[in-house]
Structure formats: structure tokens, C-alpha cells
Amino acid sequence: MLPLLLSAALATAPASTVVARVGPDPVTAGEVLARAHGAGLPPLAALETLVREAAVARAARDDGLDRERDVVAAVEAERRSIAARRLVDDEVVSRLQATDAEVAEAFHARHDRVRLSLVVRATQVEAEAALSRLRGGAALIEEGRASSDPMVAGQAGVLGWVTRGALPPGLARTAFTVPPLELAGPVPVVRGFAIVLVHERHLATDAELAPQRDAIRRAVVAAKREGAVARYTAQVAARRRAPRGHELRSLEDEAVARGYGRGPEVERAVAEVQRDLLVRHYLARVVAAAGEPGEVQIAARWREHPEEWTLPPRRPCVHVVAREEDELRRLRARLDGGATVGAAASEAAALQGAHVGGVELSAAELEEWAQSGDEALAAAVASTGADRWTEPVRARRGWATYRCAAVLPAELVPLDQARAAIADRLRRELAERAVERTVARLRLEATVHRDESALAAVVAGQG
């Protein structure tokens, strides 16, 4: 009966309701639900996890870990941080508002769209000359390709559909006022001056805004938060004459002095932080005492589980990746001409998005490529013979080509080479077993009381 009562109670109980105690230490409904949500656990499993942690934390207190300097300092730092957040919430965040005009502006920035083409030139004189040529019949695509902005040039000036908010303010004003299919400009932009041609325009309506108004209002308020908090923090620092670089500390001092570091809510939050710190410190001691694997254990693991230390069949490959196909072909030609992989890699480093290197590929890795969107590249590598380049393939990282040697057979890694990895794995296993044994022992020794009457009262109150 208790599990049913507990599940029902947790769903409706106030966050501060104590649902269990481990010795004198409470576990609240809020903690259980937060852990259940954060870890993806059912409430009962989350409760058991918290009970175990509370048992470990109690053992840590019995050993005096709560008095260690770093634990005390961390708990105090959390109290000050909570106090500062509460002060900011009261003095700043709770007073932030978004006007209807601001909501409408944010809405139209997201939902007004324009399909346009641009021609960008470095100077106004060059832009005016381009405008004259366009009006005289020059091809918009050709003028776009010659743009001084690499992004615009790479798209031949055709930007497609763009939202109002994605455009610089000056360009947005022009794009949403000039008649469609009429050349306009020059308009100052980041990389010079732009000639604008609007093909189509869509202006969002009030009917589209209505169902989104509340969400957009919250987003506008959230966007104001950072600046408002920064201004308030600066004001507090100035009033308290805080040295430069101590603004946050002065805010915490202000909050503590005004009592924001006290109260039941703060004490619960601080207790949770202290519990987490104590659990980490106590279990760190358990891990440190778990010991190191011996040479006999390492050798036995290598002999008894060769599958863990066997490299699968694989092909040593050289690969070239570049943003543009002509760059890829040029780098590949350098390798074919006798350049070392290191020399070609240095040359590729000077190109944006280019890379030359070596890699060993297994069938499993090619399968991962295929499943993650690089099917064409995986198929090209798998089907191309030894010591031949694949045809250039458009992959997720850009244009790519591989030259792979013959398949190397599966190979057991020698013990000397595997020793460090085996020791690390055994070390983790020793630590995990030590932690599991310790937590299980402390859980058995702990006095745990689930408050059935309080849970039943909560359930009855909901009925």
C-alpha cells in the first residue's frame, strides 16, 4: 500500500513536505520530484537514491567532513549565491515588463520574411556603379558573385527567404519598404554598401501573433534580464564602493546584509548542496582506499578477455577535406606529387575548413558514417580499391576524398601497449565495487523512516 500512497502523494504534495527521514535528516517531496525529473527515474527510485545519499552524508558528518575548510567554504559560497539570486529576483526580475509594442516588434522580427538578392561592394562609389550596370541590364547573378562580402558572393547574391530580425536594421528598413522587383540602394552594411532587390515579402498578421503573444512576452522579458541585472549589480557596487572586479561579491554582501541569505527555503537549498558535497568527499575517500590493480590482475584480464584488446580489421587511410571541391583537388594533387601528409596538412591549415590527415577506418566506423548522414562517403571508401583515391564526395564536413591501403587483419594489442588501458579499467571497477559495497552497508545501517501518516493525509486531502 505504501508505494501507491507515496507515488500519489509526491505528485500533489508541497515541495517542503517531508516524505522520509534518514536519522534526523529530512528528504522532501520537492527533492524527490526534482531528482526524478533530472535523472529520469520513477519517484520511488528517486526517493531511494536520495535516502542512500543521505545515509552517506550522515556518515560523512560522523567523520567530521562537514567541518573541513573546503566544504564549509563551498556551503557559504552557495548561501551567498542564493541570497544574491533572491535579491535580484525581488529588485530586478520581478519588475521587468514587456510592452505590447515590444512584443509586436519581437514577433515581426521573427515572422516577417523577405526573399531578396544583394550585391555588395566595398565602397559607395563601387556600389553606385554596380547599381548603374544593373539598371543598364547587367546580370544580377554575375554582379552578386563579385560581391565584397564572401557569404553573399558564395550565394551569387541570392539570399532567399530571410526574417526581418536576421537583417541589419538599415537593410531591414529598406527590404521591408522598397517596392518588390525594384532595385534600391546603396545601403550601408557591415562589409560595405548593398544594392537590394526584393522578390517577395510576407508580413505576419495580428491573428498570427495572438496565440504566441504570451510566449513572446516572456521571451522579451528574459532578453532584458541580463542587461537589467548587470546595471543593478553596477549600481550596488558603486553604492558600496566596491573595487573593480568585485561587483558580484558586493552584490552578495548586499543580499546577505539585507537578510536574503536566511529563511527556510534558503536553508533547504543549502542543505542539499552540503549533502552533495559530503557525498562526493566521502566517496572520494572510498575510491582512494580501493587500491590499485596488480600486475597479475592486469595480465589475467589481457589473457582472459582478448576480445577487449583486439583491434578489428581496418584500413589505414589518408583523407582530404575542404569547403570547395577545387581546394580539395589541389590538396590531393600535392599529395600525389610527393608532398608528405604533414606538408599538405600545413597547407590545408591556411584554408578555412580544410584538413589533411591520417586515420584507420573499420567497418563499424563506416557503418556509423552511413547512419549519421555520410552514406555516400562510406560507400565510396568501402568500394574503392587499395591505394586509390575515392571520387570527391560532398560530406557533412565539406568535400572529402580518401585513399586507403589494403585491409589490415584483426590484431591483439600487445600487453605492454594495453597495460595502461587495462589498469585504468580495473581501477574503475575496483572503485565502483568499493563504492557499491560502502553505500549498501551504510543504507542497511541507516535508520530510515517514511512518514506514512503524512503521506496518507496528503492523499486524503486530494480525494
Side-chain angles (χ1 to χ4, degrees):
M1 185 64 179
L2 179 58
L4 294 176
L5 290 175
L6 182 56
S7 296
L10 288 174
T12 56
S16 60
T17 299
V18 175
V19 296
R21 290 186 181 276
V22 182
D25 303 320
V27 178
T28 66
E31 290 178 281
V32 173
L33 291 177
R35 178 62 60 88
H37 176 74
L41 295 172
L44 285 173
L47 174 60
E48 179 58 25
T49 299
L50 289 167
V51 166
R52 288 170 176 266
E53 291 178 4
V56 176
R58 174 51 51 189
R61 290 189 186 92
D62 292 343
D63 286 356
L65 296 186
D66 57 329
R67 298 188 296 276
E68 289 193 352
R69 182 178 302 176
D70 55 343
V71 173
V72 173
V75 170
E76 179 58 23
E78 182 64 18
R79 183 184 298 278
R80 290 172 59 84
S81 178
I82 293 171
R85 290 198 297 272
R86 295 180 70 208
L87 171 62
V88 165
D89 284 345
D90 272 2
E91 296 286 325
V92 181
V93 177
S94 64
R95 301 179 185 183
L96 292 176
Q97 295 181 341
T99 66
D100 288 343
E102 290 172 326
V103 171
E105 181 182 354
F107 169 73
H108 286 290
R110 296 179 185 180
H111 297 283
D112 288 356
R113 297 181 297 140
V114 64
R115 187 167 68 85
L116 78 164
S117 295
L118 294 183
V119 172
V120 180
R121 294 292 184 269
T123 67
Q124 185 170 353
V125 171
E126 292 172 334
E128 289 171 347
L131 176 60
S132 178
R133 289 192 297 274
L134 289 166
R135 285 174 172 164
L140 181 63
I141 294 290
E142 295 305 318
E143 292 289 343
R145 285 198 179 104
S147 290
S148 58
D149 185 325
M151 187 275 290
V152 175
Q155 297 177 244
V158 181
L159 268 63
W161 285 101
V162 184
T163 61
R164 185 190 292 268
L167 295 171
L171 186 56
R173 281 193 296 272
T174 300
F176 283 91
T177 55
V178 67
L181 303 179
E182 182 176 307
L183 289 164
V187 179
V189 292
V190 174
R191 293 183 178 269
F193 294 82
I195 307 302
V196 183
L197 180 67
V198 173
H199 303 283
E200 296 180 74
R201 207 163 29 226
H202 168 76
L203 300 179
T205 66
D206 288 344
E208 293 173 293
L209 168 59
Q212 303 180 51
R213 191 183 304 276
D214 291 343
I216 293 175
R217 193 180 301 278
R218 290 192 295 271
V220 172
V221 169
K224 291 182 175 184
R225 188 184 190 283
E226 183 176 353
V229 171
R231 290 190 294 274
Y232 180 78
T233 301
Q235 291 167 5
V236 171
R239 187 169 65 247
R240 298 181 70 91
R241 295 187 173 87
R244 184 181 296 275
H246 289 70
E247 291 84 0
L248 180 57
R249 183 174 183 82
S250 72
L251 180 67
E252 293 175 346
D253 289 341
E254 175 85 0
V256 171
R258 292 174 59 177
Y260 282 93
R262 299 190 297 271
E265 182 181 338
V266 176
E267 297 306 323
R268 284 194 296 271
V270 169
E272 288 180 34
V273 170
Q274 185 190 55
R275 182 193 64 212
D276 293 344
L277 286 167
L278 291 174
V279 169
R280 287 201 297 271
H281 277 61
Y282 190 89
L283 295 182
R285 295 200 319 183
V286 172
V287 169
E292 290 288 322
E295 183 61 32
V296 172
Q297 292 172 290
I298 293 172
R301 174 61 67 90
W302 181 77
R303 286 194 310 271
E304 294 167 7
H305 298 278
E307 71 283 356
E308 296 181 4
W309 319 108
T310 298
L311 296 175
R314 62 214 182 279
R315 298 181 70 185
C317 304
V318 174
H319 68 272
V320 180
V321 178
R323 291 182 60 179
E324 304 295 337
E325 186 177 0
D326 59 344
E327 291 177 350
L328 178 139
R329 291 185 180 277
R330 182 165 56 80
L331 290 168
R332 190 175 74 175
R334 290 274 291 120
L335 290 165
D336 288 340
T340 64
V341 172
S346 297
E347 186 175 337
L351 302 172
Q352 186 174 5
H355 179 71
V356 175
V359 66
E360 290 189 349
L361 296 176
S362 66
E365 287 165 316
L366 292 180
E367 180 63 26
E368 288 180 11
W369 285 7
Q371 293 178 358
S372 60
D374 275 338
E375 298 96 334
L377 183 58
V381 172
S383 62
T384 301
D387 301 320
R388 295 174 54 195
W389 288 105
T390 66
E391 286 300 314
V393 175
R394 185 69 175 173
R396 289 178 302 155
R397 295 182 296 163
W399 286 94
T401 183
Y402 279 70
R403 184 181 67 197
C404 299
V407 177
L408 298 176
E411 176 186 5
L412 178 63
V413 177
L415 176 58
D416 285 346
Q417 296 179 23
R419 180 176 281 103
I422 296 172
D424 185 60
R425 183 173 299 183
L426 290 173
R427 192 178 297 114
R428 289 198 303 271
E429 291 174 2
L430 287 171
E432 289 169 2
R433 286 197 294 271
V435 167
E436 289 172 1
R437 288 195 299 268
T438 299
V439 172
R441 175 178 59 79
L442 293 174
R443 172 65 176 87
L444 287 173
E445 294 173 354
T447 301
V448 180
H449 173 66
R450 293 180 176 182
D451 196 335
E452 298 183 53
S453 60
L455 293 175
V458 171
V459 175
Q462 296 301 313

